[in-house]
Amino acid sequence: MLKMTTGDRVMSISIYVILTILAFVTFYPFWNALVISFNSGVDTMKGGVTFWPRVFSLDNYDIVFQDSRILNGFFISILRTVIGTATAVLFTAIFAYGMSRKELIGKNYYMIFCVVTMFFSGGLIPTFLLIRGLGLFNTFWVMIIPGLISVWNMIIFRTFFQGLPAGLEESAKVDGCGYWGTFFRIILPLSGPVIATLSLFTAVYHWNDWFSPSIYISEQKLLPIQTMLQQILSSNIMSEQMAQADST
């Protein structure tokens, strides 16, 4: 066993201290949010709640669980994240597999058309008219179908597929696999790392997105929790501004 020198010990201690500080800075906001949730709302407004609840209370959770709109919003958010992530990753991977084929005629032109959409869009009003024309307005699928294909994720998938050995597909063709069989039996099982990474990015997008439901959904029962919370915050800010205007 090698003996550590004084310099090695100092370096190890420094690394542990830095990592501990980084871990604390990363974890503390989550812990503080949890602590505040168990603290009385009136007392929280005074500030100064840090590591432990100052006035322990479960009233915040009572209000949340008694409001059926919030529980329904959580259900919609979870459903959207699961379905949206699974379908988006699958359809984007299929699209990328087709774009990675050397025998695809005109694939360079298709790639140019795809890249253009990353920098230019029709705008909010044309998109709204398109969504309404497709019959997606005020439906759950308006949060799923428009996000089925991501050009950026397609490029990542395409690059990964092009890096796979060509012999794999040739062997699959010899065994009688077509394009679909090769994709689902060979390519997709080998794409675990890129699938996991892009699934995480897509899930975060679906979970955090509040803007598109606020534009394309007006029925309260279809709103995800993020849009609902944004509306609550906006109404509270407006109420405070009106109260300040009345007081002046």
Side-chain angles (χ1 to χ4, degrees):
M1 183 176 179
L2 296 176
K3 298 181 67 175
M4 295 182 62
T5 63
T6 304
D8 292 336
R9 293 192 183 94
V10 172
M11 179 61 67
S12 297
I13 294 174
S14 302
I15 291 174
Y16 281 118
V17 170
I18 293 173
L19 291 177
T20 302
I21 294 174
L22 290 176
F24 172 77
V25 172
T26 304
F27 177 73
Y28 175 73
F30 298 97
W31 174 255
N32 184 249
L34 180 63
V35 168
I36 289 176
S37 70
F38 285 104
N39 197 72
S40 171
V42 177
D43 182 72
T44 302
M45 295 296 293
K46 300 177 183 178
V49 180
T50 54
F51 293 100
W52 305 103
R54 191 164 50 203
V55 180
F56 184 83
S57 174
L58 295 176
D59 293 342
N60 299 325
Y61 289 92
D62 289 338
I63 294 173
V64 169
F65 288 113
Q66 288 176 3
D67 194 336
S68 60
R69 298 176 304 168
I70 295 180
L71 293 179
N72 183 74
F74 269 114
F75 174 75
I76 293 295
S77 292
I78 294 173
L79 192 64
R80 174 193 178 180
T81 301
V82 172
I83 297 177
T85 301
T87 54
V89 171
L90 176 61
F91 278 80
T92 303
I94 294 173
F95 182 33
Y97 178 67
M99 293 292 292
S100 66
R101 298 303 85 211
K102 296 180 180 179
E103 62 271 22
L104 178 64
I105 300 175
K107 67 175 183 178
N108 292 332
Y109 295 103
Y110 299 150
M111 196 64 192
I112 293 174
F113 295 151
C114 291
V115 172
V116 167
T117 63
M118 296 176 61
F119 300 98
F120 304 97
S121 66
L124 183 59
I125 294 178
T127 303
F128 178 85
L129 295 176
L130 176 63
I131 293 296
R132 189 177 65 177
L134 293 174
L136 296 176
F137 184 74
N138 254 347
T139 64
F140 172 78
W141 300 108
V142 75
M143 297 181 287
I144 304 297
I145 294 178
L148 285 179
I149 299 295
S150 168
V151 175
W152 176 254
N153 291 348
M154 183 273 290
I155 295 174
I156 296 176
F157 265 125
R158 175 176 173 265
T159 304
F160 180 83
F161 293 157
Q162 289 176 337
L164 294 176
L168 292 173
E169 294 192 41
E170 294 176 0
S171 300
K173 290 179 181 179
V174 171
D175 292 337
C177 281
Y179 287 112
W180 289 107
T182 303
F183 175 75
F184 283 105
R185 296 181 183 181
I186 306 297
I187 303 300
L188 211 58
L190 293 175
S191 306
V194 68
I195 289 176
T197 302
L198 296 182
S199 295
L200 177 61
F201 292 159
T202 306
V204 170
Y205 160 75
H206 277 290
W207 182 262
N208 289 336
D209 179 40
W210 61 267
F211 182 73
S212 57
S214 67
I215 299 297
Y216 305 123
I217 295 178
S218 59
E219 292 188 17
Q220 194 75 19
K221 63 181 181 179
L222 293 176
L223 291 178
I225 187 63
Q226 291 78 11
T227 305
M228 196 174 300
L229 292 176
Q230 190 274 336
Q231 291 179 352
I232 293 173
L233 291 174
S234 298
S235 62
N236 289 340
I237 293 175
M238 186 175 296
S239 299
E240 292 177 0
Q241 291 177 347
M242 293 179 63
Q244 292 178 357
D246 293 339
S247 62
T248 56

